[in-house]
Amino acid sequence: MNLPALSFDQLRHLAPRALRRHIATDQYQGHTSGLGQGRVQANIVILPGDWADEFLRFCTLNRQACPILDITRPGDPLFRHLGEHVDIRHDVPRYRVYRQGELTEQPQNIKHLWRDDLVAFAIGCSFSFEQPLLEAGIDLRHVKLGRNVAMYQTDIDTRPTERLQGKLVVSMRPLKAADAIRAIQITGRMPNVHGAPVHIGDPRLIGIHDLGAPDYGDAVPLADDELPVFWACGVTPQAVVQASRPPLCITHAPGCMLVSDLHNHSL
Amino acid sequence: MNLPALSFDQLRHLAPRALRRHIATDQYQGHTSGLGQGRVQANIVILPGDWADEFLRFCTLNRQACPILDITRPGDPLFRHLGEHVDIRHDVPRYRVYRQGELTEQPQNIKHLWRDDLVAFAIGCSFSFEQPLLEAGIDLRHVKLGRNVAMYQTDIDTRPTERLQGKLVVSMRPLKAADAIRAIQITGRMPNVHGAPVHIGDPRLIGIHDLGAPDYGDAVPLADDELPVFWACGVTPQAVVQASRPPLCITHAPGCMLVSDLHNHSL
């Protein structure tokens, strides 16, 4: 194919399948925030055989951080439950390849890396619950400021498996009390996208000592009449997997998610 | 009837209808906390004709503070939707009678005051949501300490009618963040008992300057790792009505509620 590159504004008008087809041509390698017409976007983790089995157990034990939306059969590059012809070999704008836990490559597709024993996991992402929050009239500061959400490593242990263990990573959104209460109710009804917050208020109680210095993403200011509200974050499984140094692990690059055909409200 | 008086422990074993029959004999005038085998208890407000019409509008406009469980027809002393033969003239252990806003009498029944134009309101009470919270394993400090819940007048205006207006009264329970998040989800599903909290965190943001000095009920200590969580309180309608000084208003005495046949989980 030899399609012309599209502007970001043109990309915004593409339906999810058309967007994936454009991304598959390697002509777009940027972030997917605001793209895909409000459909579900997913974190991606790809692992070989026995690591995949263990990772599935880890996700099951840590569902709030790792809500699995779909999982491929070994060697099959298609997510069968995320939409029409969703091919994980090229439908993500940019990938990260880790070998023994070290970042070795950031390709635009992974056709050259695909193997018969690879299993791909699509994991729910907080983009999906931000839409219902915004629709409920709740302002999200990082959205307003055009920044990535602030993410922090906590001192909360995940439930370990043999080789996979680590601390919970959370995303933080500053909210006024009334909005925090509504946000808890709204996200509590979305267990496939991290569900209700894991903490609210004093960050030190979960091992976060400086809100101004997030471990991932961008810091946002907290007003005097706001509470920091913390949700389990889909970065958790990536961080845990990288720390355990499997021979091969492929993920999406930060912010460059897989755009599915699923509606956010279906979660 | 000439039944023997029962001990509190004996009262605890009475089913709701038997308890009401005992209370109707004027032999018990104490509080109803822990009585009625976990059935719904209600705040009571009784008003004459036109005040009743306006109060109904006030409750409709302020549903979170004034969730109406049942309302009698003018002059009819029976609540038809709260259980078997629930007679508001004598089924509350102790009443308070206000004339022009002044407390004039605290009788054990109101048979001598009943009139053809009186309308009785049964209003949901936080006792009903405390049971599901306790069943979810959430400790409630005032229950543990055997105290009444702490209640505060806020600077939040209720939605006024012509003669009825005033500030929202809230009850406060200190909770650890994880319990506060669960409590918001649990009580958010119970709109007939005040629903989700109205505030969480800094009390000054809703006009409360000293948690140690509640306007009603008893103070309880707040630990360093706890957040104060504030729910709209059924004391609000009583406080608003008294402030507007209707010619006659009858309520239950604090803690001496009407015990219905309804199950808390039915709310």
Side-chain angles (χ1 to χ4, degrees), chain B residues 220-235:
Chain B
V220 293
L222 181 81
D224 281 348
D225 61 350
E226 290 176 332
L227 292 156
V229 186
F230 300 91
W231 279 268
C233 176
V235 168

Side-chain angles (χ1 to χ4, degrees), chain A residues 149-171:
Chain A
V149 72
M151 293 165 275
Y152 305 87
Q153 185 169 303
T154 67
D155 63 5
I156 301 169
D157 283 316
T158 57
R159 295 170 171 179
T161 59
E162 301 87 285
R163 295 170 292 188
L164 296 170
Q165 58 181 48
K167 303 295 182 182
L168 183 71
V169 177
V170 294
S171 62

Side-chain angles (χ1 to χ4, degrees), chain B residues 95-267:
Chain B
Y95 298 80
R96 285 189 163 180
V97 180
Y98 296 86
R99 295 178 192 279
Q100 315 289 350
E102 301 296 327
L103 179 64
T104 57
E105 198 182 343
Q106 294 202 61
Q108 287 183 255
N109 68 70
I110 53 166
K111 289 184 260 188
H112 59 297
L113 297 171
W114 193 253
R115 305 184 337 206
D116 276 355
D117 68 336
L118 291 184
V119 176
F121 296 82
I123 296 172
C125 154
S126 59
F127 283 8
S128 297
F129 72 59
E130 290 184 345
Q131 188 194 346
L133 294 180
L134 292 166
E135 285 171 4
I138 296 174
D139 275 341
L140 298 175
R141 177 128 333 119
H142 69 286
V143 173
K144 203 166 222 170
L145 296 175
R147 298 185 191 166
N148 194 354
V149 72
M151 291 165 276
Y152 306 86
Q153 187 170 301
T154 67
D155 62 6
I156 302 170
D157 283 316
T158 57
R159 296 171 170 178
T161 59
E162 301 88 283
R163 296 170 290 189
L164 296 170
Q165 58 182 50
K167 302 296 183 183
L168 183 71
V169 178
V170 294
S171 62
M172 186 281 288
R173 292 162 186 80
L175 295 174
K176 290 189 204 302
D179 286 343
I181 289 164
R182 286 197 299 147
I184 289 169
Q185 295 178 80
I186 292 168
T187 59
R189 291 194 291 263
M190 302 183 78
N192 288 323
V193 230
H194 306 310
V198 294
H199 186 62
I200 182 167
D202 190 348
R204 291 166 301 181
L205 294 173
I206 56 170
I208 300 170
H209 297 283
D210 184 1
L211 283 183
D215 297 297
Y216 311 88
D218 306 319
V220 293
L222 181 81
D224 281 348
D225 61 350
E226 290 176 332
L227 292 156
V229 186
F230 300 91
W231 279 268
C233 176
V235 168
T236 309
Q238 290 193 15
V240 163
V241 169
Q242 286 158 33
S244 66
R245 302 179 166 273
L248 176 66
C249 173
I250 305 169
T251 71
H252 66 286
C256 304
M257 322 289 281
L258 177 68
V259 175
S260 80
D261 291 350
L262 305 180
H263 290 266
N264 284 318
H265 287 289
S266 72
L267 303 181

Side-chain angles (χ1 to χ4, degrees), chain B residues 61-78:
Chain B
L61 293 172
N62 296 280
R63 186 158 182 258
Q64 213 168 356
C66 318
I68 295 179
L69 300 177
D70 200 4
I71 176 170
T72 63
R73 279 167 290 189
D76 180 1
L78 299 185

